[in-house]
């Protein structure tokens, strides 16, 4: 049955049979599904994890494995594909069949290079599936607002720079700062920093924090208690450990109107984070002697108030503990990962454009290898490498950007002119196979070069480089800023134009094959 199917396919659709598009498409879809499932599994958020680094040791392994898989598939497919070459066998081909063949090659290349995008997309997709974006925004607002009442940095510092009567800058010491027309101690919770998520911009963060500080200044205790209760709902939902409840938290930190007499509530059980493997257990260990409780915690001097802190020894190592804590460090790390999956996904528009360009480039390499000899193709590769080295050396000198773009554009136009001359003359191919390869490879970047050359000329003519960096704004250079912001969209347009260009170049290839070799 399979042999009969192969025979019928060979007779009725030789192009489908020769490119092996059906079996390899099924195989590649299965491979991409596997990478999707792996990425989806790796996208799981561990809400108990307190480690705040974002590096994933599994990602490089997946990337290397995906590259090896792509190479093996390309080699296997090329063995079947190049076994039967209609050009070398002088099999009659229509102009459209050549274009269709390139499209099938492009499909194979795109699917075989999709493992990495599929993996990273699935990973972000899993993270985004935990919450709808609107719900996530509300939860991040609660976490950000409540972070003021947890241990963290202060916004205003002890030293500020001031300018004296002579115009000289001096650094002076202070112990208070101004807020809402009154002075507060630098130790006051009014001066506390907050946890920020990528989901919220700076304006949204400022509005959130100012709202909480307004509650504090106006002594709106009900609003703050509700905020803490909402925060604990999230903590309990994720089964995160804490040794206080909402009522205790409010009692420890709320000290209207100064907000200076408070007990520090930690974001994890242990203050310093150097021995993660030894930290998280409930073993009772020796407690060291308390230090004067009037001294404020300072990690650089190893001084802390014993109302909020305690240190214990385990295996000869001293650990600094919070007496009261909410495991919010795990919460912040987890929600930060989910926020980044929405705002800064791994597979963004730029990633997709790069992926499509790579797929297009490799499809053109296979396509040109199919209709020209291996010798001509290899010479074309060597020519490209040599040309790249020459241009690299040339560009290392003080040459303007416009000149660099101009040289590349001139080379592509010269190749196009020479190939057009060969087609019109219709005598012998000579070295036109090499020129045709280079033309197919280079022409897709011609419009991109022209586009950025145009931007560079505009910058020079309008004095863009003559002003300070801060003044290179949309208000001063609207046309340039619009063109630069349109750059990624232009790349998408260029990909579509390249497909149209390949439709016409396939007709030229068919005509070129009819020209005698010598």
């Amino acid at each position: 049955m399979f042999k009969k199917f192969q025979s019928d396919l060979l007779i009725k659709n030789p192009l489908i049979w020769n490119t092996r598009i059906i079996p390899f498409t099924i195989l590649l879809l299965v491979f991409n599904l596997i990478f999707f499932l792996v990425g989806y599994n790796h996208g799981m958020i561990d809400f108990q994890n307190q480690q705040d680094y974002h590096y994933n040791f599994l990602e490089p392994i997946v990337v290397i494995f995906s590259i090896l898989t792509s190479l093996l598939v390309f080699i296997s497919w090329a063995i079947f594909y190049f076994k039967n070459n209609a050009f070398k066998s002088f099999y009659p081909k229509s102009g459209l069949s050549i274009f269709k063949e390139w499209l099938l090659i492009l499909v194979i290349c795109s699917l075989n290079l999709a493992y990495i995008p599929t993996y990273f997309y699935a990973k972000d997709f899993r993270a985004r599936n935990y919450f709808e974006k609107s719900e996530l925004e509300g939860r991040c607002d609660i976490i950000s607002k409540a972070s003021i009442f947890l241990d963290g940095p202060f916004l205003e510092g002890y030293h500020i720079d001031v300018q004296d009567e002579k115009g000289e800058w001096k650094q002076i010491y202070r112990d208070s700062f101004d807020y809402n027309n009154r002075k507060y101690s630098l130790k006051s919770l009014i001066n506390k920093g907050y946890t920020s998520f990528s989901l919220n911009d700076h304006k949204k963060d400022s509005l959130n924090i100012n709202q909480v500080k307004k509650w504090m200044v106006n002594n709106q205790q009900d609003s703050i208690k509700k905020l803490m209760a909402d925060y604990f709902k999230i903590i309990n939902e994720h089964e995160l450990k804490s040794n206080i409840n909402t009522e205790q938290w409010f009692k420890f930190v709320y000290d209207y109107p100064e907000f200076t007499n408070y007990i520090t509530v930690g974001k994890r059980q242990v203050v310093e984070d150097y021995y993660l493997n030894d930290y998280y257990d409930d073993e009772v260990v020796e407690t060291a002697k308390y230090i004067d409780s009037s001294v404020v915690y300072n990690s650089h001097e190893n001084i802390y108030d014993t109302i909020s802190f305690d240190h214990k020894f385990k295996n000869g190592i001293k650990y600094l503990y919070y007496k009261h804590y909410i495991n919010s460090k795990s919460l912040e790390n987890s929600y930060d990962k989910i926020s980044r999956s929405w705002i800064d996904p791994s597979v963004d528009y730029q990633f997709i454009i790069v992926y499509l360009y790579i797929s297009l480039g490799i499809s053109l390499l296979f396509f040109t290898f199919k209709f020209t000899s291996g010798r001509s193709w290899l010479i074309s590769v060597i020519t490209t490498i040599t040309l790249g080295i020459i241009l690299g050396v040339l560009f290392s000198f003080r040459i303007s950007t416009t000149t660099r773009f101009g040289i590349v554009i001139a080379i592509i136009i010269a190749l196009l002119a020479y190939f057009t001359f060969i087609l019109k003359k219709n005598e012998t191919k000579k070295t036109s196979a090499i020129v045709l390869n280079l033309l197919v490879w280079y022409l897709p970047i011609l419009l991109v070069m022209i586009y950025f050359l145009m931007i560079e000329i505009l910058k020079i003519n309008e004095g863009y480089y003559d002003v300070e960096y801060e003044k290179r704004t949309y208000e001063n250079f609207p046309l340039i800023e619009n063109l630069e912001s349109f750059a990624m969209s232009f790349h998408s347009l260029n990909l579509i134009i390249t497909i149209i260009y390949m439709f016409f170049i396939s007709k030229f290839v068919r005509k070129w094959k009819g020209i005698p070799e010598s």
Side-chain angles (χ1 to χ4, degrees):
M1 182 177 177
F2 179 74
K3 288 184 178 180
K4 186 178 184 302
F5 174 77
Q6 286 282 83
S7 178
D8 292 342
L9 192 64
L10 175 61
I11 295 172
K12 297 178 181 179
N13 295 289
L15 182 60
I16 300 294
W17 177 85
N18 187 43
T19 55
R20 304 297 198 276
I21 186 69
I22 295 176
F24 273 91
T25 297
I26 295 173
L27 179 67
L28 294 174
L29 288 175
V30 171
F31 284 170
N32 276 284
L33 177 60
I34 293 173
F35 276 92
F36 181 89
L37 294 176
V38 172
Y40 192 81
N41 180 61
H42 288 176
M44 181 178 64
I45 302 296
D46 181 8
F47 288 95
Q48 304 291 329
N49 185 15
Q50 296 191 16
Q51 299 176 5
D52 54 4
Y53 60 84
H54 304 303
Y55 184 76
N56 189 333
F57 295 100
L58 294 175
E59 288 181 2
I61 298 175
V62 173
V63 170
I64 293 172
F65 187 75
S66 66
I67 293 173
L68 293 176
T69 304
S70 296
L71 288 174
L72 289 174
V73 171
F74 273 135
I75 293 171
S76 303
W77 173 72
I79 291 173
F80 289 105
Y81 176 56
F82 293 122
K83 187 183 298 184
N84 301 287
N85 194 332
F87 286 113
K88 294 181 180 179
S89 303
F90 300 102
Y91 188 85
K93 295 177 74 69
S94 66
L96 270 181
S97 70
I98 298 175
F99 177 67
K100 290 177 182 177
E101 185 168 350
W102 173 72
L103 287 179
L104 294 177
I105 296 173
L106 181 60
V107 170
I108 293 290
C109 292
S110 299
L111 289 174
N112 194 34
L113 294 173
Y115 308 137
I116 295 176
T118 299
Y119 168 80
F120 283 107
Y121 174 80
K123 190 177 177 183
D124 287 335
F125 180 72
R126 173 67 179 276
R128 290 194 294 267
N129 271 354
Y130 279 95
F131 308 107
E132 293 292 336
K133 190 175 182 180
S134 57
E135 182 184 356
L136 179 64
E137 288 175 346
R139 287 170 175 255
C140 287
D141 286 346
I142 293 171
I143 297 170
S144 183
K145 291 176 181 178
S147 64
I148 290 180
F149 303 105
L150 296 168
D151 191 24
F154 292 97
L155 295 177
E156 300 287 342
Y158 283 94
H159 297 89
I160 58 172
D161 294 324
V162 295
Q163 198 170 19
D164 60 17
E165 297 175 354
K166 298 180 180 179
E168 297 179 354
W169 288 95
K170 293 184 178 180
Q171 192 175 73
I172 63 171
Y173 176 86
R174 61 172 180 169
D175 58 4
S176 63
F177 73 105
D178 295 326
Y179 180 80
N180 198 34
N181 298 322
R182 65 162 293 177
K183 288 186 176 295
Y184 286 93
S185 168
L186 290 174
K187 290 168 45 183
S188 172
L189 288 182
I190 298 292
N191 189 32
K192 282 296 295 293
Y194 56 90
T195 298
S196 178
F197 296 99
S198 55
L199 195 65
N200 295 336
D201 56 19
H202 180 70
K203 182 179 179 180
K204 181 70 178 295
D205 282 333
S206 298
L207 290 173
N208 285 336
I209 299 310
N210 286 333
Q211 184 182 48
V212 177
K213 291 182 178 180
K214 183 180 178 181
W215 293 342
M216 297 166 69
V217 171
N218 295 333
N219 197 23
Q220 296 178 242
Q221 298 186 24
D222 291 341
S223 298
I224 295 176
K225 287 180 179 179
K226 183 180 183 306
L227 172 65
M228 291 180 172
D230 291 339
Y231 188 84
F232 257 95
K233 285 181 182 178
I234 301 176
I235 288 287
N236 295 331
E237 177 185 334
H238 298 299
E239 300 179 350
L240 295 173
K241 185 179 179 182
S242 61
N243 64 356
I244 61 174
N245 56 34
T246 307
E247 292 75 17
Q248 290 173 316
W249 188 15
F250 180 82
K251 180 181 177 182
F252 288 158
V253 300
Y254 199 80
D255 176 41
Y256 178 82
E258 299 296 334
F259 297 99
T260 54
N261 187 21
Y262 56 85
I263 295 176
T264 301
V265 178
K267 293 185 177 182
R268 51 156 64 105
Q269 184 178 4
V270 183
V271 178
E272 299 296 341
D273 197 11
Y274 299 114
Y275 302 94
L276 292 178
N277 293 329
D278 297 329
Y279 276 177
Y280 308 109
D281 57 29
D282 297 324
E283 182 181 352
V284 178
V285 293
E286 179 185 354
T287 302
K289 182 180 178 182
Y290 285 157
I291 298 177
D292 185 359
S293 60
S294 64
V295 183
V296 179
Y297 167 71
N298 184 316
S299 60
H300 296 290
E301 299 177 3
N302 296 320
I303 301 173
Y304 55 91
D305 71 89
T306 54
I307 299 175
S308 303
F309 300 93
D310 188 11
H311 70 240
K312 305 176 182 180
F313 287 93
K314 181 179 179 182
N315 299 327
I317 301 175
K318 183 169 70 174
Y319 299 94
L320 189 60
Y321 284 75
Y322 292 102
K323 286 189 174 181
H324 314 285
Y325 69 93
I326 303 171
N327 195 358
S328 57
K329 193 63 178 178
S330 303
L331 190 71
E332 292 174 2
N333 292 340
S334 302
Y335 276 78
D336 181 56
K337 292 176 183 177
I338 300 174
S339 297
R340 285 187 288 110
S341 71
W342 280 100
I343 301 303
D344 187 25
S346 301
V347 183
D348 56 8
Y349 187 55
Q350 184 175 355
F351 189 103
I352 293 173
I353 292 297
V354 172
Y355 154 71
L356 291 176
Y357 266 115
I358 295 174
S359 301
L360 174 68
I362 294 180
S363 71
L364 294 178
L365 290 176
F366 279 112
F367 181 66
T368 51
F369 188 84
K370 181 75 173 182
F371 65 72
T372 60
S373 65
R375 177 176 175 273
S376 299
W377 189 88
L378 185 59
I379 293 175
S380 301
V381 172
I382 295 173
T383 302
T384 299
I385 296 173
T386 305
L387 187 61
I389 294 173
I390 294 173
L391 291 176
V393 173
L394 186 63
F395 292 166
S396 65
F397 296 101
R398 297 181 64 86
I399 299 177
S400 66
T401 307
T402 53
T403 303
R404 296 175 183 180
F405 282 133
I407 292 173
V408 177
I409 292 171
I411 292 172
I412 297 175
I413 293 175
L415 291 172
L416 180 61
Y418 178 78
F419 183 70
T420 305
F421 171 76
I422 294 294
L423 284 179
K424 285 188 175 181
K425 197 173 182 182
N426 202 25
E427 292 182 355
T428 59
K429 291 178 180 173
K430 297 181 180 179
T431 59
S432 61
I434 300 171
V435 175
L436 180 58
N437 285 333
L438 297 178
L439 192 62
V440 172
W441 298 345
Y442 297 170
L443 208 55
I445 67 171
L446 177 61
L447 288 179
V448 177
M449 290 291 178
I450 293 175
Y451 184 81
F452 285 102
L453 176 62
M454 179 177 64
I455 294 177
E456 196 64 26
I457 292 173
L458 280 172
K459 287 182 176 180
I460 294 173
N461 291 338
E462 296 190 13
Y464 185 83
Y465 294 116
D466 297 332
V467 301
E468 297 177 356
Y469 180 80
E470 292 76 13
K471 296 182 179 180
R472 299 174 187 176
T473 60
Y474 179 83
E475 289 74 16
N476 297 326
F477 303 96
L479 180 57
I480 294 174
E481 292 296 322
N482 281 330
L483 288 173
E484 288 192 331
S485 63
F486 183 71
M488 293 307 298
S489 299
F490 181 80
H491 280 296
S492 303
L493 180 62
N494 184 59
L495 288 168
I496 297 173
I497 293 173
T498 300
I499 295 175
I500 298 172
Y501 146 75
M502 285 300 297
F503 173 80
F504 292 102
I505 204 72
S506 63
K507 293 181 177 292
F508 292 145
V509 168
R510 183 170 178 271
K511 182 179 179 181
W512 172 80
K513 277 305 255 186
I515 300 175
E517 295 289 339
S518 60

